[in-house]
Amino acid sequence: MIALVWFLIGLQLLVVGLYAYRLARLRHRGVPAEAHPVGRTAIVLVAVCAAPLPALLTIDAPLAAWGLWGVGYTAAALVLAFADASRDLPSRMSTGPA
């Protein structure tokens, strides 16, 4: 069971990192705000971050596992906040006043 916990936490951190990279690339390329996938991002991040929780609660998980899970969950919240805030910012490709 502990291997499952570590696998799910690793998956959580990987997915959060990939979404952060993808959203940063969208912002860097100047993709219009309407194209930012905040709804899908929120669903995926919440699902991936909640996946390790049942396994963490059923076993006597080490403190490091709880800490990494918290770090991943906090990082997911920051990625989602960045995605939501970037919708309100003008893109680099836009012309004229925002």
Side-chain angles (χ1 to χ4, degrees), residues 28-66:
H28 179 70
R29 287 188 289 173
V31 173
E34 298 81 30
H36 285 256
V38 176
R40 279 183 286 143
T41 301
I43 292 169
V44 170
L45 289 178
V46 167
V48 166
C49 289
L53 191 57
L56 282 168
L57 291 173
T58 58
I59 65 168
D60 188 21
L63 188 59
W66 280 103

Side-chain angles (χ1 to χ4, degrees), residues 59-88:
I59 65 168
D60 188 21
L63 188 59
W66 280 103
L68 280 177
W69 176 75
V71 166
Y73 211 85
T74 304
L78 291 173
V79 168
L80 188 57
F82 173 76
D84 191 39
S86 66
R87 289 189 309 165
D88 299 332

